[in-house]
Amino acid sequence: LCPTQGQLWNKSRCINMVLKTCETTHFMVCDMDMLWNPDFLKIHLNQLPQDHAVYFTVGVMTRRESALQKNFHDYAVKFNTNSEATGITLFPTALLKSINGFRFRESEVYFKHQWHAKTYRSTSSKLPFHPILERINHQYFLMNKSLGKVKANTSEPWGLSCDKVAYKKLARCV
């Protein structure tokens, strides 16, 4: 449970909550709105990286294409992501825990991202709204990249689960 009350998804917090208790050799982060190439695991399971994390090219589909029912290979892609999009990332767990960076793997498109509305980005939404929060977050990412900063949470605990009682109290106030 990691509620966001209509704000940007706190992917890092959710990853850390699961990572903290992960006992497998590899850890994969995948957006839930991805369509998987049915051959991905067969192709990549035997060549999991041991010394680095990789993220994969994703084909982004249109709203119209996302509404269709097709075989994975028949879906049309509007554009492919580049090294700045990390929707599908595969990590050796120990490396992710040491958080020493990611690598982009430009590849065949093994994943296709379905179109969906982004209601938190709309000024007509009744949800709390910050018009430039994504740009602020991206600038923060670029700043840390230029400074060579690869570790976070060096003085604070990380991977703590959400306080369900506090979230219930908050929900009653809204």
Side-chain angles (χ1 to χ4, degrees):
L1 175 67
C2 193
T4 58
Q5 283 75 35
Q7 291 297 303
L8 292 176
W9 172 242
N10 193 334
K11 187 175 184 176
S12 298
R13 182 173 185 189
C14 291
I15 290 170
N16 287 342
M17 288 167 53
V18 176
L19 175 64
K20 192 73 169 187
T21 58
C22 180
E23 296 178 1
T24 59
T25 61
H26 286 77
F27 187 92
M28 188 169 201
V29 176
C30 176
D31 288 0
M32 66 182 290
D33 52 2
M34 295 290 178
L35 300 179
W36 284 54
N37 181 318
D39 297 322
F40 176 77
L41 290 176
K42 181 172 60 174
I43 294 167
H44 291 279
L45 197 56
N46 292 325
Q47 52 179 321
L48 297 175
Q50 300 299 319
D51 61 349
H52 61 274
V54 293
Y55 45 107
F56 295 84
T57 301
V58 172
V60 179
M61 303 183 325
T62 64
R63 178 181 192 168
R64 184 176 179 181
E65 193 70 11
S66 295
L68 301 173
Q69 295 291 319
K70 297 181 177 183
N71 179 304
F72 176 88
H73 298 288
D74 295 331
Y75 280 107
V77 170
K78 183 176 182 178
F79 65 91
N80 290 344
T81 60
N82 61 20
S83 62
E84 293 184 5
T86 59
I88 303 288
T89 312
L90 178 64
F91 307 90
T93 303
L95 285 181
L96 182 56
K97 286 183 176 182
S98 69
I99 202 65
N100 285 329
F102 305 162
R103 293 184 187 180
F104 176 66
R105 176 175 289 169
E106 190 164 343
S107 64
E108 172 183 339
V109 173
Y110 290 106
F111 308 97
K112 295 186 179 175
H113 192 286
Q114 301 177 77
W115 180 92
H116 56 81
K118 294 176 174 89
T119 55
Y120 63 85
R121 293 180 182 163
S122 167
T123 53
S124 63
S125 170
K126 304 228 184 297
L127 298 169
F129 179 76
H130 193 297
I132 60 170
L133 188 56
E134 286 182 276
R135 285 188 274 167
I136 292 169
N137 287 344
H138 187 69
Q139 289 302 312
Y140 179 73
F141 163 77
L142 293 175
M143 179 189 70
N144 285 327
K145 184 177 179 181
S146 71
L147 294 172
K149 184 176 179 183
V150 293
K151 287 195 175 192
N153 302 319
T154 56
S155 62
E156 298 291 327
W158 65 275
L160 302 176
S161 294
C162 295
D163 182 342
K164 294 177 186 175
V165 174
Y167 276 113
K168 285 180 183 177
K169 285 182 185 176
L170 182 62
R172 286 193 301 265
C173 295
V174 175

